[in-house]
Amino acid sequence: MEIIMAKYGEIALKGLNKRTFENILIKNIKKTLADLGEFNYDRIQSTLYIEPKGKGNVDLDETVARLSKVFGLAAIQKCKVLPKDFNAIIKDGMPYLEKSLNHAKSFKVEAKRSDKTFPMNTPQIQKELGGEILNAFPHLKVDVHNPEVVILLEIRDKAAYLNPERITGAGGIPVGSSGASLLMLSGGLDSPVAAYMIAKRGLRIDALHFQSPPYTSERALMKVESLCAALKSYLINTRLHCVEFTEVQEAIRDNCPEEYSTVVLRRMMIKAANLLYRQKLERGNNVYGGLITGECLGQVASQTLSAIACTDAAAELPVLRPLIGMDKTEIIAIARKIGTFDISVLPYEDCCTVFTPKHPKTNPKLKDVENIESRFDYYKLVTNAVNKAQIKDF
Ligand code: ATP
Ligand code: MG
C-alpha cells in the first residue's frame, strides 16, 4: 500500500494556535483533493498521513502534484507502508525503489526511528539498508554529501514507511489563516503572480476583473477565467467578479484630459473595489482586509510613486503590492513556475490598453486629479457597473 506523508512548514513552529492553522490547512487540502477520490487523514505531530480509501483508482501522482501547491506544506512524500520487520522491509521495499534507483548514480539512506522498540538503532538501520540497496543495485555508489537520491525509512508507531522521493512543498502558511483580500486581476503577467505571493502568506483571495466590451473581447474574459482555474490549487477558493467598465472608460475618454486618463481610470478601479468591499461588509461575510495589485515600481507611467500615491488615496483598504520591487525577469520566472505564463502571454487585449494616452502624466498631483474628477460624475457609472458585476466561483 502507498500513502502520502505531507509535512507542515512554518505552522509546525506555531505555538498555542497551531491547531487553528492545522485545521485550516486540512480543510484546504480536502478541498484541493475533493475530485480525486476519498482519503483518510491522520495527523501525527507535524505530519499529515493521507491514505486513499478503498483500493486503487486514486491517481497518487496527481495527488502529490496538487499537494505540492498547497500553502502550509514543506514537503510531500509518497511512500510505501511496510510491516515493522527488517526482512519484510527489504523483501517488499527493494522492488519499490527500482523506479528511483535504476537510473540514479548515487544515493544515501536516512533512517528515523520514533518507535524505540524497533530492535535496530538508527545507524544500524542505515548501514544494513544501505548494504542491501548496494547488493540489489550494484551500479550505485553511496554519497553521503551530495546524493542523487535520498532513501528515507521511518519507523513509526503504526508501521514503517519507505520513500525514495521528497518533493518540496509550496511553503508559506495556509490560505485563509490571514483573512481575505481582493485582487485586481488583469489578464497580464503580473497580477496572477501577485495573487500567488499574497496567498502564500495566508490570505484567501477573491478577484476583480474589468472588461470593456466591445473594445475587449470575450476571449479576454476567458483568459482571466483560465488564470483563476490555473491558480486553483494555490488559491483554494476564489470568487471572480467581472465588471464592465466600458461606460466609465468612455466617460473618461470624453471628459478627462488625456494625460490624466490613466490615473483616473486606476482610481475608478480602486473605487469599484471599495464598493465591493462595502457590499460585503454590509452582508457581514468574507470581509476583505486589503486590496492586491500587480504593480511594480517604474514599470509603466501608472506605476510611478506619485501615481501610486494618487491610487492609494482612493483606496479604503491597504493596497498590497507584492511585486513592487521585482524585475520583470523575476516575475516571469514565478509565472512559469506557477503555470500562468502561457496563459498571460496570449495576445488578447486588456481594458487598460483601450484608449491609452500617448503621454500619460508620470507625476500626477492628487489635488489636480481630484479637481479633474470633480468635473464629471464618474462614480455614478462606477456604481452602476459594480451593481451589475458577474460572479463566478473557482
Ligand atoms: P498586469 O501584468 O498585472 O496586467 P501590467 O504590468 O500590465 O500588470 P497595468 O496594466 O498598469 O500593469 O496594471 C497594473 C495593475 O492594475 C495590474 O497588475 C492589476 O492589478 C490592475 N489591473 C490592470 N488592468 C486590470 C483589469 N482589466 N482588471 C483588473 N485589474 C486590472
Ligand atoms: Mg496589464
Side-chain angles (χ1 to χ4, degrees), residues 275-290:
L275 272 172
L276 268 184
Y277 156 66
R278 264 188 266 136
Q279 286 175 359
K280 292 249 174 192
L281 203 60
E282 272 165 30
R283 286 188 226 116
N285 56 5
N286 285 325
V287 177
Y288 306 130

Side-chain angles (χ1 to χ4, degrees), residues 186 188 350 352:
S186 71
D350 178 55
C352 283

Side-chain angles (χ1 to χ4, degrees), residues 47-306:
T47 302
L48 187 65
Y49 292 73
I50 304 172
E51 181 185 333
K53 271 191 199 167
K55 291 201 181 69
N57 299 358
V58 174
D59 181 345
L60 277 189
D61 289 327
E62 175 63 15
T63 308
V64 170
R66 298 246 187 120
L67 288 169
S68 71
K69 296 180 172 181
V70 174
F71 291 122
L73 294 176
I76 298 111
Q77 296 164 331
K78 198 167 69 170
C79 44
K80 191 166 180 66
V81 184
L82 296 164
K84 288 197 288 184
D85 169 84
F86 194 73
N87 291 330
I89 291 172
I90 300 305
K91 185 169 156 286
D92 296 345
M94 285 306 145
Y96 185 68
L97 300 180
E98 276 175 14
K99 210 172 115 206
S100 309
L101 292 180
N102 274 347
H103 301 288
K105 290 198 178 67
S106 61
F107 78 105
K108 92 172 177 184
V109 171
E110 259 178 34
K112 283 186 190 163
R113 186 183 64 130
S114 55
D115 172 9
K116 302 294 178 203
T117 65
F118 192 76
M120 296 157 82
N121 64 23
T122 306
Q124 277 170 335
I125 299 171
Q126 291 181 171
K127 186 158 169 275
E128 296 290 323
L129 181 57
E132 293 290 345
I133 290 174
L134 283 173
N135 282 341
F137 303 91
H139 68 283
L140 285 176
K141 281 203 168 66
V142 174
D143 183 345
V144 287
H145 300 296
N146 195 15
E148 214 173 297
V149 179
V150 178
I151 304 291
L152 183 66
L153 179 67
E154 297 194 36
I155 313 282
R156 295 213 173 200
D157 279 352
K158 282 191 185 164
Y161 301 89
L162 181 67
N163 78 73
E165 207 176 354
R166 183 185 164 98
I167 289 150
T168 309
I173 53 177
V175 164
S177 61
S178 304
S181 277
L182 186 61
L183 165 77
M184 321 283 281
L185 178 64
S186 71
L189 270 168
D190 302 329
S191 37
V193 173
Y196 160 83
M197 290 181 66
I198 289 295
K200 187 172 189 169
R201 297 315 305 166
L203 276 175
R204 195 189 66 74
I205 289 176
D206 280 345
L208 171 57
H209 175 68
F210 301 96
Q211 46 175 334
S212 289
Y215 307 105
T216 61
S217 69
E218 188 66 19
R219 286 185 303 181
L221 175 62
M222 280 161 56
K223 185 176 167 184
V224 169
E225 292 182 351
S226 306
L227 286 170
C228 288
L231 287 168
K232 191 168 167 51
S233 288
Y234 292 113
L235 305 189
I236 308 287
N237 202 344
T238 294
R239 173 163 285 189
L240 169 67
H241 306 258
C242 282
V243 168
E244 265 189 30
F245 241 35
T246 317
E247 288 184 10
V248 178
Q249 286 200 266
E250 286 174 340
I252 293 173
R253 177 196 59 192
D254 297 340
N255 298 284
C256 163
E258 192 185 298
E259 55 180 352
Y260 282 94
S261 61
T262 305
V263 65
V264 172
L265 173 61
R266 203 38 54 89
R267 280 166 54 86
M268 292 307 142
M269 288 181 169
I270 295 281
K271 289 187 181 198
N274 292 340
L275 272 172
L276 268 184
Y277 156 66
R278 264 188 266 136
Q279 286 175 359
K280 292 249 174 192
L281 203 60
E282 272 165 30
R283 286 188 226 116
N285 56 5
N286 285 325
V287 177
Y288 306 130
L291 304 179
I292 304 159
T293 76
E295 286 164 306
C296 175
L297 197 62
Q299 208 184 68
V300 287
S302 61
Q303 300 178 20
T304 61
L305 212 46
S306 38

